[in-house]
Amino acid sequence: MSTLTEFSISALIVLGAAFALLGSVGLARLPDFFTRLHGPTKATTLGVGAMVLASAIYFTTLQAGVSLHEIAVMLFLFITAPVSAHLMSKAALHRRSAKPQQGQQ
Amino acid sequence: MRHLLPRPALSALIFLLWAALTNAATPGTLLLGALLALALPFVTRPFWSDAPRLARPAILLTLALRVSIDIVLANLSVARRVIGPVKRLQPAFIEVPLDLRDPFVATVLSSIVSLTPGTVSIDVDQERWVLLIHALDAPDSDALIEKIKQRYEAPLKEIFAC
């Protein structure tokens, strides 16, 4: 493995970890449920994206042939993350509108 | 042929995903992948809504590239906001009136909105065709509505011709 590959893999892992951390910081710092929902979306898109890319590069250079697991991981994550965020926010909205003054739903 | 493969595109996708998951192109795994690609569309058929036809597949690539770039850029801007003073954020619920009239395409749009950080889609109202989103920091909601409509909805409408 060349130095350049090692450096780019390390950079991607650090970047991914940094965004996962930022997502968690957001989860802890933001004031209410709906703003907190934004933290995990960030961690799953760029954070996991960068880590998965690093993994793909690492195993492609380490073994013969291309490593494609990671593409499947990314694809499933990108399909499921919006759905779970959507379901949680919808549930939160229903709880909110159950209170008398915000009867929108 | 239509009886054997009710959804050719779905079968192809399952086959490719299976190859990616197993990470090996031995005859055995490929055969199992082919069997799954034949069987799964049958099992899941009742759940599939009729997706509109792809009218302009080329724009789909442009849109995918644009969304990927936007995800990276939006991540950076949201990261800055999360670290900065939280009190100064202006979170808001925003209603985006939709021009498209297709449940499948509306789902695609709401997924894109959720994946780009800073906005999460909450509800697609299919009677009024309004997409309810929550934005982390939206001092100018009209600009955000305009951005979503121009950057994502307009290309989606062209791609699916709806």
Side-chain angles (χ1 to χ4, degrees):
Chain A
M1 201 182 297
S2 72
T3 322
L4 184 68
T5 337
E6 276 185 28
F7 268 112
S8 49
I9 291 172
S10 321
L12 279 171
I13 292 177
V14 171
L15 183 77
F19 272 97
L21 177 68
L22 279 172
S24 318
V25 169
L27 200 63
R29 286 193 69 198
L30 292 169
D32 66 276
F33 177 81
F34 286 101
T35 47
R36 279 186 183 151
L37 208 57
H38 292 277
T41 32
K42 197 158 62 264
T44 51
T45 49
L46 198 57
V48 179
M51 273 190 235
V52 154
L53 193 62
S55 161
I57 297 174
Y58 178 77
F59 283 104
T60 303
T61 49
L62 202 68
Q63 307 159 339
V66 192
S67 178
L68 292 174
H69 283 298
E70 289 81 4
I71 297 175
V73 172
M74 192 119 83
L75 190 66
F76 286 133
L77 211 65
F78 273 34
I79 295 174
T80 53
V83 175
S84 48
H86 176 81
L87 281 178
M88 281 191 282
S89 55
K90 216 167 169 174
L93 201 67
H94 275 282
R95 279 186 57 127
R96 236 172 74 138
S97 57
K99 290 177 198 160
Q101 72 272 32
Q102 290 141 320
Q104 243 280 312
Q105 264 315 87
Chain B
M1 204 54 195
R2 274 215 76 77
H3 286 291
L4 204 60
L5 283 173
R7 289 194 177 268
L10 177 65
S11 296
L13 183 69
I14 291 172
F15 184 71
L16 287 177
L17 263 181
W18 182 258
L21 269 177
T22 52
N23 229 1
T26 61
T29 55
L30 288 185
L31 182 69
L32 189 53
L35 285 178
L36 284 174
L38 281 179
L40 286 182
F42 275 105
V43 183
T44 55
R45 185 147 59 172
F47 302 108
W48 284 85
S49 64
D50 279 319
R53 277 174 43 80
L54 276 176
R56 309 274 300 273
I59 308 180
L60 189 64
L61 286 179
T62 329
L63 182 67
L65 191 68
R66 177 184 290 176
V67 170
S68 322
I69 294 171
D70 281 357
I71 285 177
V72 175
L73 292 180
N75 258 299
L76 295 175
S77 80
V78 172
R80 212 171 42 233
R81 293 201 168 90
V82 167
I83 301 171
V86 174
K87 287 257 155 47
R88 224 178 288 162
L89 294 179
Q90 294 173 287
F93 287 99
I94 298 169
E95 288 197 327
V96 184
L98 297 178
D99 292 327
L100 49 84
R101 291 282 181 276
D102 184 275
F104 177 81
V105 185
T107 309
V108 175
L109 179 66
S110 68
S111 294
I112 291 177
V113 166
S114 287
L115 276 179
T116 44
T119 47
V120 174
S121 57
I122 293 172
D123 192 27
V124 184
D125 186 336
Q126 287 185 10
E127 272 159 28
R128 294 186 300 140
W129 290 100
V130 164
L131 176 68
L132 177 65
I133 66 172
H134 183 267
L136 182 59
D137 187 23
D140 186 357
S141 58
D142 287 336
L144 186 65
I145 293 174
E146 198 49 38
K147 191 187 146 206
I148 287 171
K149 288 187 77 70
Q150 275 189 354
R151 282 190 78 84
Y152 310 124
E153 193 193 6
L156 276 177
K157 275 189 70 171
E158 254 187 282
I159 291 166
F160 291 104
C162 65

